[in-house]
Amino acid sequence: MTPEVQIVQQGLTVEEYAHEKGVTTRSVRRWLAAGELPDAWPDGRSYRIPRHAERVQTPGTGLVVTGQHSDAVEELPRALAGAPTAWVDLETASRLLGVTPHAIVAHPDLFEPAKVGPRGSWRVPMRVIRRDAGL
């Protein structure tokens, strides 16, 4: 009989992460709200942040495309890259742009998200993807 193994994700609290990075907890909370710490995960009413997590920020926009997301464009099927599709779903746009879905919705001036379709799901115009992801 094999004993059950419970995997527990560990991470720093907002306060611990702020202390290690030498910034205020307010800054860390602002980064979390803006989706600039994509490796963080919710833990009750707060967040846990991996010790290695870095803020992702794009020059001039307050957002960053990180190396972990940069290969998403290569994964994009060629059919979609050249397709005349006017809108891209939020999850796909997030992978291509290298930012969190929350960051896309939180920055309408940069990404121009809109609720499209009968159910009103968030979409990003393909022209924004082409412009920002270099497609």
Side-chain angles (χ1 to χ4, degrees):
M1 189 179 272
T2 307
E4 283 189 40
V5 177
Q6 183 179 11
I7 298 174
V8 178
Q9 289 185 330
Q10 294 184 5
L12 303 174
T13 64
V14 171
E15 292 77 15
E16 292 167 338
Y17 183 80
H19 178 72
E20 283 204 7
K21 297 296 179 180
V23 297
T24 65
T25 57
R26 183 175 179 188
S27 291
V28 174
R29 290 184 198 288
R30 190 176 65 245
W31 299 344
L32 288 165
E36 294 178 0
L37 288 170
D39 294 333
W41 67 91
D43 182 35
R45 292 182 58 160
S46 190
Y47 283 87
R48 288 291 184 165
I49 309 163
R51 186 176 306 276
H52 70 276
E54 291 295 327
R55 179 181 178 204
V56 277
Q57 181 179 12
T58 302
T61 64
L63 299 172
V64 171
V65 177
T66 63
Q68 70 182 26
H69 299 291
S70 62
D71 60 345
V73 173
E74 295 171 15
E75 295 173 12
L76 181 69
R78 297 215 183 274
L80 178 60
T85 306
W87 299 96
V88 176
D89 67 275
L90 191 61
E91 290 300 318
T92 302
S94 169
R95 284 187 35 233
L96 293 171
L97 297 170
V99 295
T100 63
H102 172 77
I104 292 173
V105 174
H107 297 281
D109 54 319
L110 298 174
F111 302 110
E112 305 173 32
K115 289 195 172 193
V116 178
R119 292 188 177 180
S121 59
W122 284 104
R123 306 284 178 163
V124 176
M126 188 62 186
R127 64 181 156 66
V128 172
I129 303 297
R130 286 186 177 120
R131 178 193 72 206
D132 293 352
L135 299 176

